[in-house]
Amino acid sequence: MGWGEIKAHKMRSFLSFFGITIGIASVLMTIAILQGFSKNMKEGMALSGPGRLEVTKKWTETKSRKGVSQGLTSQDALSLEKVMPELQVVIPKARSFRKNIIFKDIRAESNIVGVVPEAQTRDWVYDLRGRFFTAGDMQFFKRVCVLIKKGEPGQKNIWRKFWKRKDPFEQLYAKYDPLGQSIRIQDNLFTIIGIAQEPPEDEDPRFFHRSYGNEMVWVPLTTFQKYIQNSNKIDEIIVDTGDPETTAYYEDRLKRFFLLRHRGEEDFDIQNYSQLMSGWMKQVRNFRMVFLLIAIISLIAGGIGIMNVSLATVYSRIKEIGIRKAVGATRLDILVQFVLESTVLSVAGGLVGVALGIGGAFLLPSFSDRFEIVISPLSVLLCISISIGVGMIFSIYPAYQAAKLDPVEALRYE
Amino acid sequence: MILCKNLTKIYRDGGSGSEYVALDDVSFSIEKGGFVAVVGPSGCGKSTLLHILGCLDRPTQGSYQLSGQEVSHLSEKDLAQVRGRKIGFVFQAFHLLPRSSALHNVALPMIYSNVLKSQRIQKAQILLQEVGLEGKMKNTPLQLSGGERQRVAIARALANDPEVLLADEPTGNLDSKTGQEILSLFQKLSQTGKTILLVTHDREIAKAAGGLIQMKDGKIV
């Protein structure tokens, strides 16, 4: 019976549920984005290590600088391993910028990174051909290197069609297979022992620590210090306590440890990633609240649409209500009928909204590489129950207006 | 069957406070199976009487017993049930649902008396056959003639086997020949034991009924 009424007034019915459709679609899309974001972040965190702390050198000169500290060095890292053997990893890294590289006829510029073999245990997303560095490479200052082959830009990203990043190594890989060959870095010849292929950009699970744009060559840290940097300085030390609960404690301990070694000079920063992470998560939760508020507002708007149309429907069906009452319908019968009709419309609107939301959510990643979308059955279920709820709540007033009509007057109404 | 004592209906205008007495101390009774016509000029209170007898409205004062049950001060919900199960209405303007088929219109009252759907349809088919519309069950009221519409309305009034049929100018919108047919249908129903009260201003039609109640200015004269 309600269905006939809906079919008889297609435009009116469409208008009444359209507000719900828009509301539900935006709710679903926002949930999908937020869930995708959380998922990315958690995966990135798992890849970084659960109890990650990062000690980095201060890049800017500070006023308190007294010149008594020699900065972060390899010795700091070695000493840290001895003092706190319970740490899961201690990975020092050093970086040097814009070094000249020559491979056969190809010249390029790249940042060079000195790493230790343990670097393979954190943030490792590469598909390695050849081999990585060993303790032997470190010990004997071997002039070997691993090239990083950049990941393909995301296929989904439509902007990429207009803007393509220039990769100085692209020609090299296009023309040669460099594995096992020699490459010249500044004045020294290195042997390429491995090629680490990055995943395509849109599938890169790293959330933090995506490599710097022009970081194409890794060499063993010791080799780096001897041939490229000419000092035992390092830029950062990555530490993993193995447990996010202990990071605050170790953050404090590390600070005291380095202050002591640097003669009271605080020329380093300590990043606590589980804290950073929980900060991010808090942001996401805050954002969720804001979004919830917006969703509620948009659904109220949709609900008012339903209410409006339902009221109009009631006024155009006064006679029908009189007839139904004359043949025995109680107030409750009429109330239920009108609420049900609106709920059917609202659920229809909700279902269209779910479809639009899912469609929209799958379209979104095409605007960026780093856009993961998670549509859980739970969020779809939530959207459908919201549309049921909105339909019911906002049709109660019009339905009540219908139910309380006086049968005699309703029958007389023309 | 129907026993009314001192029925009074007063309409009050909320704004001016003026009163209008639509029914003034009306008492009468109708036996089971009786066929009574109510006649009188327009505004004499016959429609008001019909609405009160049909439980669509409540008297301001007085008592109304329907098959032994006092109904003048029942709740809204109980009134709705009484009019669904004990009373069948036939209106001058038919009052059918325009988009529903004849079959669904006849089945409508049974929805509210909780009859199962299959039984509703079955019963509606039988009733439509009885009023001679077996070929037009799927037609909507717009596809039926006036006489046919009124037959559908009568079939609908009979859906819950009511004891009382109330008809408000049932022939008023029909030509005299069709009106006569509808009237004989009422006579036939009267013979099967239905109590019928028919409001009209047509003396000829009133003669067809067994009893006559003549009204003027809210009173029986």
Side-chain angles (χ1 to χ4, degrees), chain B residues 32-36 88-90 126-127 130-131 150-159 161-167 170 181-198:
Chain B
K32 182 169 163 59
F35 186 1
V36 174
F89 280 102
V90 179
I126 293 169
L127 286 170
E130 280 177 12
V131 298
Q150 199 58 295
R151 283 163 194 272
V152 173
I154 291 170
R156 181 181 67 187
L158 295 170
D161 282 325
E163 294 155 45
V164 178
L165 278 183
L166 300 175
E181 282 169 25
I182 296 295
L183 200 61
S184 58
L185 201 53
F186 275 109
Q187 283 169 325
K188 229 168 77 187
L189 287 168
S190 168
Q191 281 154 21
T192 63
K194 301 278 181 207
T195 307
I196 299 173
L197 189 126
L198 188 148

Short mmCIF file of all heavy atoms in Angstrom, two decimals, chain B residues 32-36 88-90 126-127 130-131 150-159 161-167 170 181-198:
data_model
loop_
_atom_site.label_atom_id
_atom_site.label_comp_id
_atom_site.label_asym_id
_atom_site.label_seq_id
_atom_site.Cartn_x
_atom_site.Cartn_y
_atom_site.Cartn_z
N LYS B 32 -33.09 -5.44 15.91
CA LYS B 32 -32.19 -6.19 15.03
C LYS B 32 -32.93 -6.53 13.74
O LYS B 32 -34.07 -6.99 13.77
CB LYS B 32 -31.73 -7.47 15.73
CG LYS B 32 -30.74 -8.29 14.92
CD LYS B 32 -30.13 -9.37 15.78
CE LYS B 32 -29.46 -10.46 14.95
NZ LYS B 32 -28.39 -9.98 14.08
N GLY B 33 -32.26 -6.30 12.62
CA GLY B 33 -32.89 -6.58 11.32
C GLY B 33 -33.77 -5.46 10.83
O GLY B 33 -34.36 -5.57 9.75
N GLY B 34 -33.86 -4.40 11.60
CA GLY B 34 -34.69 -3.28 11.19
C GLY B 34 -34.08 -2.50 10.05
O GLY B 34 -32.86 -2.48 9.89
N PHE B 35 -34.92 -1.87 9.24
CA PHE B 35 -34.44 -1.07 8.12
C PHE B 35 -35.11 0.29 8.26
O PHE B 35 -36.30 0.44 8.00
CB PHE B 35 -34.83 -1.74 6.80
CG PHE B 35 -34.28 -1.07 5.57
CD1 PHE B 35 -33.46 0.06 5.65
CD2 PHE B 35 -34.57 -1.57 4.29
CE1 PHE B 35 -32.97 0.66 4.50
CE2 PHE B 35 -34.06 -0.96 3.15
CZ PHE B 35 -33.26 0.15 3.27
N VAL B 36 -34.38 1.28 8.74
CA VAL B 36 -34.96 2.56 9.09
C VAL B 36 -34.35 3.67 8.24
O VAL B 36 -33.13 3.69 8.04
CB VAL B 36 -34.71 2.87 10.59
CG1 VAL B 36 -35.19 4.27 10.94
CG2 VAL B 36 -35.41 1.84 11.46
N GLY B 88 -20.79 -1.05 9.35
CA GLY B 88 -20.32 -0.85 8.00
C GLY B 88 -20.89 0.44 7.46
O GLY B 88 -22.06 0.74 7.67
N PHE B 89 -20.01 1.24 6.82
CA PHE B 89 -20.45 2.53 6.29
C PHE B 89 -20.62 2.48 4.78
O PHE B 89 -19.82 1.89 4.07
CB PHE B 89 -19.40 3.61 6.58
CG PHE B 89 -19.44 4.15 7.96
CD1 PHE B 89 -18.53 3.74 8.92
CD2 PHE B 89 -20.40 5.09 8.32
CE1 PHE B 89 -18.56 4.24 10.20
CE2 PHE B 89 -20.43 5.60 9.60
CZ PHE B 89 -19.52 5.16 10.55
N VAL B 90 -21.68 3.17 4.32
CA VAL B 90 -21.79 3.43 2.88
C VAL B 90 -22.04 4.93 2.73
O VAL B 90 -22.95 5.47 3.34
CB VAL B 90 -22.96 2.63 2.25
CG1 VAL B 90 -23.06 2.93 0.77
CG2 VAL B 90 -22.76 1.14 2.48
N ILE B 126 -15.58 -13.12 -2.48
CA ILE B 126 -16.96 -13.59 -2.27
C ILE B 126 -17.93 -12.40 -2.20
O ILE B 126 -18.99 -12.41 -2.85
CB ILE B 126 -17.03 -14.42 -0.97
CG1 ILE B 126 -16.24 -15.73 -1.15
CG2 ILE B 126 -18.48 -14.72 -0.59
CD1 ILE B 126 -16.03 -16.50 0.13
N LEU B 127 -17.52 -11.37 -1.45
CA LEU B 127 -18.40 -10.21 -1.29
C LEU B 127 -18.64 -9.50 -2.62
O LEU B 127 -19.75 -9.09 -2.93
CB LEU B 127 -17.80 -9.24 -0.27
CG LEU B 127 -17.89 -9.69 1.18
CD1 LEU B 127 -17.06 -8.80 2.07
CD2 LEU B 127 -19.34 -9.70 1.65
N GLU B 130 -21.12 -11.31 -4.55
CA GLU B 130 -22.47 -11.12 -4.03
C GLU B 130 -23.10 -9.82 -4.53
O GLU B 130 -24.31 -9.75 -4.72
CB GLU B 130 -22.45 -11.13 -2.49
CG GLU B 130 -22.39 -12.55 -1.93
CD GLU B 130 -22.30 -12.57 -0.43
OE1 GLU B 130 -22.52 -11.50 0.20
OE2 GLU B 130 -22.01 -13.64 0.12
N VAL B 131 -22.26 -8.79 -4.70
CA VAL B 131 -22.83 -7.54 -5.20
C VAL B 131 -22.76 -7.45 -6.72
O VAL B 131 -23.03 -6.40 -7.30
CB VAL B 131 -22.14 -6.30 -4.57
CG1 VAL B 131 -22.34 -6.28 -3.07
CG2 VAL B 131 -20.68 -6.26 -4.93
N GLN B 150 -20.58 2.19 -5.85
CA GLN B 150 -21.36 2.05 -4.63
C GLN B 150 -21.50 0.58 -4.23
O GLN B 150 -21.52 0.25 -3.05
CB GLN B 150 -22.74 2.70 -4.82
CG GLN B 150 -23.44 3.03 -3.53
CD GLN B 150 -22.63 3.96 -2.64
OE1 GLN B 150 -21.56 3.60 -2.16
NE2 GLN B 150 -23.15 5.17 -2.41
N ARG B 151 -21.51 -0.31 -5.22
CA ARG B 151 -21.55 -1.75 -4.89
C ARG B 151 -20.26 -2.16 -4.19
O ARG B 151 -20.27 -2.93 -3.23
CB ARG B 151 -21.70 -2.58 -6.17
CG ARG B 151 -23.10 -2.59 -6.72
CD ARG B 151 -23.10 -3.07 -8.17
NE ARG B 151 -24.37 -2.78 -8.81
CZ ARG B 151 -25.41 -3.62 -8.75
NH1 ARG B 151 -25.31 -4.77 -8.13
NH2 ARG B 151 -26.55 -3.30 -9.33
N VAL B 152 -19.14 -1.61 -4.71
CA VAL B 152 -17.85 -1.90 -4.04
C VAL B 152 -17.91 -1.40 -2.59
O VAL B 152 -17.50 -2.09 -1.66
CB VAL B 152 -16.67 -1.22 -4.78
CG1 VAL B 152 -15.37 -1.40 -3.98
CG2 VAL B 152 -16.51 -1.80 -6.17
N ALA B 153 -18.46 -0.20 -2.42
CA ALA B 153 -18.53 0.38 -1.07
C ALA B 153 -19.41 -0.48 -0.16
O ALA B 153 -19.09 -0.69 1.01
CB ALA B 153 -19.06 1.81 -1.14
N ILE B 154 -20.50 -1.02 -0.72
CA ILE B 154 -21.37 -1.88 0.09
C ILE B 154 -20.63 -3.18 0.45
O ILE B 154 -20.67 -3.64 1.59
CB ILE B 154 -22.69 -2.16 -0.66
CG1 ILE B 154 -23.51 -0.87 -0.74
CG2 ILE B 154 -23.49 -3.26 0.05
CD1 ILE B 154 -24.72 -0.95 -1.66
N ALA B 155 -19.92 -3.72 -0.54
CA ALA B 155 -19.15 -4.94 -0.26
C ALA B 155 -18.12 -4.67 0.84
O ALA B 155 -17.90 -5.48 1.73
CB ALA B 155 -18.45 -5.41 -1.53
N ARG B 156 -17.51 -3.49 0.77
CA ARG B 156 -16.53 -3.14 1.80
C ARG B 156 -17.19 -3.03 3.16
O ARG B 156 -16.65 -3.46 4.18
CB ARG B 156 -15.85 -1.81 1.44
CG ARG B 156 -14.81 -1.39 2.47
CD ARG B 156 -14.19 -0.08 2.12
NE ARG B 156 -15.15 1.01 2.22
CZ ARG B 156 -14.90 2.26 1.83
NH1 ARG B 156 -13.73 2.58 1.33
NH2 ARG B 156 -15.82 3.19 1.93
N ALA B 157 -18.40 -2.44 3.17
CA ALA B 157 -19.10 -2.27 4.45
C ALA B 157 -19.42 -3.61 5.08
O ALA B 157 -19.54 -3.73 6.30
CB ALA B 157 -20.38 -1.47 4.23
N LEU B 158 -19.54 -4.65 4.23
CA LEU B 158 -19.91 -5.97 4.74
C LEU B 158 -18.69 -6.81 5.13
O LEU B 158 -18.83 -7.93 5.62
CB LEU B 158 -20.72 -6.72 3.67
CG LEU B 158 -22.08 -6.08 3.32
CD1 LEU B 158 -22.67 -6.76 2.08
CD2 LEU B 158 -23.04 -6.19 4.50
N ALA B 159 -17.49 -6.28 4.91
CA ALA B 159 -16.28 -7.10 5.01
C ALA B 159 -16.11 -7.78 6.37
O ALA B 159 -15.74 -8.95 6.45
CB ALA B 159 -15.05 -6.23 4.71
N ASP B 161 -18.47 -8.53 8.49
CA ASP B 161 -19.77 -9.03 8.96
C ASP B 161 -20.35 -8.15 10.05
O ASP B 161 -20.64 -8.63 11.16
CB ASP B 161 -19.63 -10.47 9.50
CG ASP B 161 -19.55 -11.45 8.36
OD1 ASP B 161 -20.23 -11.20 7.34
OD2 ASP B 161 -18.80 -12.43 8.49
N PRO B 162 -20.57 -6.87 9.77
CA PRO B 162 -21.07 -6.00 10.83
C PRO B 162 -22.54 -6.27 11.12
O PRO B 162 -23.25 -6.83 10.28
CB PRO B 162 -20.89 -4.59 10.23
CG PRO B 162 -21.03 -4.81 8.77
CD PRO B 162 -20.45 -6.16 8.48
N GLU B 163 -22.98 -5.88 12.32
CA GLU B 163 -24.39 -6.05 12.64
C GLU B 163 -25.19 -4.89 12.09
O GLU B 163 -26.39 -5.02 11.83
CB GLU B 163 -24.55 -6.13 14.17
CG GLU B 163 -23.89 -7.39 14.75
CD GLU B 163 -23.50 -7.21 16.20
OE1 GLU B 163 -24.33 -6.67 16.95
OE2 GLU B 163 -22.37 -7.60 16.56
N VAL B 164 -24.53 -3.76 11.95
CA VAL B 164 -25.24 -2.56 11.54
C VAL B 164 -24.61 -1.97 10.27
O VAL B 164 -23.40 -1.90 10.15
CB VAL B 164 -25.16 -1.49 12.67
CG1 VAL B 164 -25.86 -0.21 12.24
CG2 VAL B 164 -25.77 -2.03 13.95
N LEU B 165 -25.49 -1.59 9.34
CA LEU B 165 -25.02 -0.86 8.17
C LEU B 165 -25.56 0.56 8.25
O LEU B 165 -26.75 0.77 8.46
CB LEU B 165 -25.55 -1.50 6.88
CG LEU B 165 -24.81 -2.70 6.30
CD1 LEU B 165 -25.46 -3.11 4.98
CD2 LEU B 165 -23.35 -2.38 6.08
N LEU B 166 -24.66 1.54 8.10
CA LEU B 166 -25.09 2.93 8.12
C LEU B 166 -24.82 3.53 6.73
O LEU B 166 -23.69 3.45 6.23
CB LEU B 166 -24.30 3.71 9.17
CG LEU B 166 -24.44 3.20 10.60
CD1 LEU B 166 -23.53 3.97 11.54
CD2 LEU B 166 -25.89 3.35 11.07
N ALA B 167 -25.87 4.07 6.15
CA ALA B 167 -25.71 4.60 4.79
C ALA B 167 -26.10 6.07 4.77
O ALA B 167 -27.17 6.46 5.24
CB ALA B 167 -26.57 3.80 3.82
N PRO B 170 -26.91 7.06 0.15
CA PRO B 170 -26.17 6.15 -0.73
C PRO B 170 -26.57 6.26 -2.20
O PRO B 170 -25.81 5.86 -3.07
CB PRO B 170 -26.53 4.76 -0.18
CG PRO B 170 -27.83 4.95 0.51
CD PRO B 170 -27.82 6.34 1.05
N GLU B 181 -31.51 0.10 -7.93
CA GLU B 181 -30.77 -1.17 -7.80
C GLU B 181 -30.04 -1.25 -6.46
O GLU B 181 -30.06 -2.28 -5.78
CB GLU B 181 -29.74 -1.28 -8.93
CG GLU B 181 -30.33 -1.69 -10.27
CD GLU B 181 -29.33 -1.54 -11.41
OE1 GLU B 181 -28.11 -1.57 -11.12
OE2 GLU B 181 -29.77 -1.38 -12.56
N ILE B 182 -29.41 -0.12 -6.09
CA ILE B 182 -28.68 -0.08 -4.82
C ILE B 182 -29.65 -0.26 -3.66
O ILE B 182 -29.40 -1.01 -2.70
CB ILE B 182 -27.91 1.24 -4.68
CG1 ILE B 182 -26.82 1.36 -5.77
CG2 ILE B 182 -27.30 1.41 -3.29
CD1 ILE B 182 -25.72 0.34 -5.65
N LEU B 183 -30.79 0.38 -3.81
CA LEU B 183 -31.79 0.29 -2.75
C LEU B 183 -32.27 -1.15 -2.57
O LEU B 183 -32.42 -1.63 -1.44
CB LEU B 183 -32.97 1.21 -3.11
CG LEU B 183 -33.84 1.61 -1.95
CD1 LEU B 183 -33.04 2.39 -0.93
CD2 LEU B 183 -35.02 2.44 -2.43
N SER B 184 -32.48 -1.84 -3.69
CA SER B 184 -32.96 -3.23 -3.55
C SER B 184 -31.87 -4.10 -2.93
O SER B 184 -32.15 -5.07 -2.23
CB SER B 184 -33.41 -3.78 -4.90
OG SER B 184 -32.35 -3.71 -5.82
N LEU B 185 -30.62 -3.71 -3.17
CA LEU B 185 -29.52 -4.43 -2.52
C LEU B 185 -29.62 -4.27 -1.00
O LEU B 185 -29.43 -5.24 -0.24
CB LEU B 185 -28.18 -3.86 -3.04
CG LEU B 185 -26.93 -4.71 -2.92
CD1 LEU B 185 -27.11 -6.08 -3.53
CD2 LEU B 185 -25.76 -4.00 -3.57
N PHE B 186 -29.94 -3.05 -0.57
CA PHE B 186 -30.11 -2.83 0.87
C PHE B 186 -31.27 -3.65 1.42
O PHE B 186 -31.19 -4.22 2.51
CB PHE B 186 -30.34 -1.33 1.16
CG PHE B 186 -29.06 -0.56 1.28
CD1 PHE B 186 -28.67 0.34 0.30
CD2 PHE B 186 -28.22 -0.74 2.38
CE1 PHE B 186 -27.49 1.04 0.39
CE2 PHE B 186 -27.04 -0.02 2.48
CZ PHE B 186 -26.67 0.87 1.49
N GLN B 187 -32.34 -3.71 0.63
CA GLN B 187 -33.51 -4.48 1.08
C GLN B 187 -33.17 -5.95 1.24
O GLN B 187 -33.56 -6.60 2.20
CB GLN B 187 -34.67 -4.29 0.10
CG GLN B 187 -35.35 -2.94 0.29
CD GLN B 187 -36.31 -2.61 -0.83
OE1 GLN B 187 -36.07 -2.94 -1.99
NE2 GLN B 187 -37.40 -1.93 -0.48
N LYS B 188 -32.37 -6.43 0.30
CA LYS B 188 -31.95 -7.83 0.36
C LYS B 188 -31.12 -8.07 1.64
O LYS B 188 -31.31 -9.06 2.35
CB LYS B 188 -31.11 -8.16 -0.88
CG LYS B 188 -31.55 -9.43 -1.59
CD LYS B 188 -30.90 -9.56 -2.96
CE LYS B 188 -29.46 -10.01 -2.91
NZ LYS B 188 -28.80 -9.96 -4.24
N LEU B 189 -30.23 -7.12 1.93
CA LEU B 189 -29.36 -7.25 3.10
C LEU B 189 -30.19 -7.20 4.38
O LEU B 189 -29.91 -7.91 5.35
CB LEU B 189 -28.31 -6.14 3.12
CG LEU B 189 -27.21 -6.28 2.08
CD1 LEU B 189 -26.39 -5.00 1.96
CD2 LEU B 189 -26.30 -7.46 2.45
N SER B 190 -31.20 -6.37 4.34
CA SER B 190 -32.08 -6.27 5.50
C SER B 190 -32.73 -7.61 5.79
O SER B 190 -32.88 -8.03 6.94
CB SER B 190 -33.11 -5.18 5.24
OG SER B 190 -34.12 -5.25 6.22
N GLN B 191 -33.09 -8.31 4.70
CA GLN B 191 -33.74 -9.61 4.88
C GLN B 191 -32.78 -10.64 5.47
O GLN B 191 -33.22 -11.60 6.11
CB GLN B 191 -34.28 -10.10 3.54
CG GLN B 191 -35.60 -9.43 3.18
CD GLN B 191 -35.83 -9.39 1.68
OE1 GLN B 191 -35.24 -10.17 0.94
NE2 GLN B 191 -36.69 -8.48 1.25
N THR B 192 -31.48 -10.45 5.25
CA THR B 192 -30.53 -11.40 5.83
C THR B 192 -30.24 -11.08 7.29
O THR B 192 -29.41 -11.73 7.93
CB THR B 192 -29.19 -11.40 5.06
OG1 THR B 192 -28.61 -10.09 5.20
CG2 THR B 192 -29.37 -11.73 3.60
N GLY B 193 -30.89 -10.08 7.85
CA GLY B 193 -30.75 -9.83 9.28
C GLY B 193 -29.87 -8.66 9.66
O GLY B 193 -29.65 -8.40 10.84
N LYS B 194 -29.37 -7.91 8.66
CA LYS B 194 -28.57 -6.74 9.00
C LYS B 194 -29.49 -5.61 9.46
O LYS B 194 -30.57 -5.42 8.91
CB LYS B 194 -27.80 -6.24 7.76
CG LYS B 194 -26.87 -7.26 7.15
CD LYS B 194 -25.55 -7.33 7.87
CE LYS B 194 -24.65 -8.35 7.21
NZ LYS B 194 -23.68 -8.93 8.16
N THR B 195 -29.04 -4.90 10.44
CA THR B 195 -29.75 -3.71 10.86
C THR B 195 -29.27 -2.55 10.01
O THR B 195 -28.06 -2.34 9.90
CB THR B 195 -29.46 -3.42 12.34
OG1 THR B 195 -29.74 -4.60 13.09
CG2 THR B 195 -30.33 -2.28 12.85
N ILE B 196 -30.18 -1.84 9.37
CA ILE B 196 -29.76 -0.81 8.41
C ILE B 196 -30.39 0.53 8.77
O ILE B 196 -31.58 0.61 9.05
CB ILE B 196 -30.14 -1.19 6.97
CG1 ILE B 196 -29.44 -2.51 6.57
CG2 ILE B 196 -29.78 -0.08 6.00
CD1 ILE B 196 -29.88 -3.06 5.26
N LEU B 197 -29.56 1.54 8.80
CA LEU B 197 -30.05 2.90 8.99
C LEU B 197 -29.59 3.71 7.79
O LEU B 197 -28.40 3.76 7.48
CB LEU B 197 -29.50 3.49 10.29
CG LEU B 197 -30.12 4.82 10.68
CD1 LEU B 197 -30.66 4.74 12.10
CD2 LEU B 197 -29.11 5.92 10.55
N LEU B 198 -30.55 4.32 7.12
CA LEU B 198 -30.25 4.97 5.86
C LEU B 198 -30.67 6.43 5.95
O LEU B 198 -31.82 6.73 6.24
CB LEU B 198 -31.00 4.22 4.76
CG LEU B 198 -30.77 4.54 3.29
CD1 LEU B 198 -30.95 3.28 2.49
CD2 LEU B 198 -31.70 5.62 2.82
#
